[in-house]
Amino acid sequence: MARPTKTITALVCAVVLGACGSSTQRHGAAARVRDHATTAGDVMTRVRGPLPARAVALSVTGHGADDTIDALAATGTTWRGSVTLRIDVRIPRQNGSYGSTEDATGCFRYTFAYPRTSDWGKPHEIACGNRHAIDLTHPPLPAGVDSATERSVQAAVDRLAPDRRSDPTALRAALRSAVGPDYTIEGGTQGSGAFVWVRYGDQCLSVDTTTANAKVSPPRHGNDCFGG
């Protein structure tokens, strides 16, 4: 399976390769596996808002200077989900013969919750077993909450009958069908209608409905998505 490298973004490249590379001369292969596991957890939990677990797994998988990271599982989001990674490290032996390497492998499970728990993004070592790496790229991940998302949401709201668009359960179901499984949709009753957020990472839009009116906000980002 073709896998992306850690140069998916400049930020991830700098964090993963820089942080892990700093231990190159100080640790053996097994210790570096643990270092990479910790750094991967830091990278996957860098964004405050909810991202699909497979999106954050994709940001840390691939080949680095001394390691290969594969995802064995990715479910849910960084607000309610988990990722399992296999980390293989291979380094030249300091006092070995030419071409000799020291190898180590470890598998780690990361759990995510919102509000954050004490082990949010922390690696828990598990047995690797015989599981194979999964393909994180299909179906393609969305670009985020953008104008296309807004149009899809507006169309979904417009198709609902007035009594259903003011029902938070019906509204959430319609939006889920419109934007797909990689967005986080949350909300509930507000006054005589419903208020629902559509989130992807630190990007969002909101839907405010009653039986008489329906308002879809333009895309927002950062503090505007968290009440700041």
Side-chain angles (χ1 to χ4, degrees):
M1 178 187 75
R3 295 185 296 273
T5 67
K6 291 179 185 171
T7 56
I8 293 172
T9 66
L11 174 62
V12 171
C13 180
V15 172
V16 176
L17 297 186
C20 294
S22 65
S23 64
T24 297
Q25 299 304 319
R26 296 183 291 107
H27 297 314
R32 288 198 217 172
V33 166
R34 294 189 292 271
D35 285 347
H36 284 295
T38 298
T39 302
D42 291 342
V43 173
M44 290 192 292
T45 54
R46 186 168 299 277
V47 174
R48 180 181 179 185
L51 285 167
R54 69 187 181 104
V56 295
L58 185 61
S59 73
V60 297
T61 54
H63 301 286
D66 64 355
D67 73 316
T68 298
I69 301 180
D70 291 310
L72 304 182
T75 59
T77 73
T78 52
W79 276 15
R80 187 182 295 117
S82 66
V83 164
T84 301
L85 301 178
R86 181 177 61 225
I87 303 176
D88 297 296
V89 167
R90 172 172 291 189
I91 56 176
R93 291 188 184 276
Q94 295 295 320
N95 299 312
S97 59
Y98 179 77
S100 175
T101 61
E102 179 185 353
D103 303 334
T105 297
C107 290
F108 303 85
R109 188 171 189 267
Y110 305 78
T111 57
F112 310 112
Y114 184 81
R116 298 182 181 187
T117 56
S118 59
D119 72 338
W120 195 68
K122 298 294 189 296
H124 296 276
E125 190 160 11
I126 62 173
C128 290
N130 296 318
R131 287 180 290 181
H132 298 288
I134 61 174
D135 184 354
L136 299 167
T137 61
H138 294 94
L141 287 159
V145 178
D146 54 17
S147 58
T149 314
E150 182 183 359
R151 290 192 297 272
S152 296
V153 167
Q154 185 68 65
V157 173
D158 292 344
R159 286 192 295 268
L160 285 172
D163 61 324
R164 289 183 58 76
R165 73 183 178 208
S166 60
D167 175 352
T169 301
L171 180 59
R172 289 196 300 268
L175 298 184
R176 169 65 63 216
S177 178
V179 301
D182 290 315
Y183 292 85
T184 293
I185 299 175
E186 57 173 5
T189 301
Q190 177 174 275
S192 60
F195 185 86
V196 172
W197 289 102
V198 177
R199 299 183 183 273
Y200 189 91
D202 287 344
Q203 304 171 18
C204 67
L205 60 75
S206 61
V207 183
D208 192 356
T209 67
T210 65
T211 55
N213 298 292
K215 180 182 178 182
V216 178
S217 78
R220 305 169 181 170
H221 68 279
N223 288 338
D224 289 340
C225 293
F226 298 97

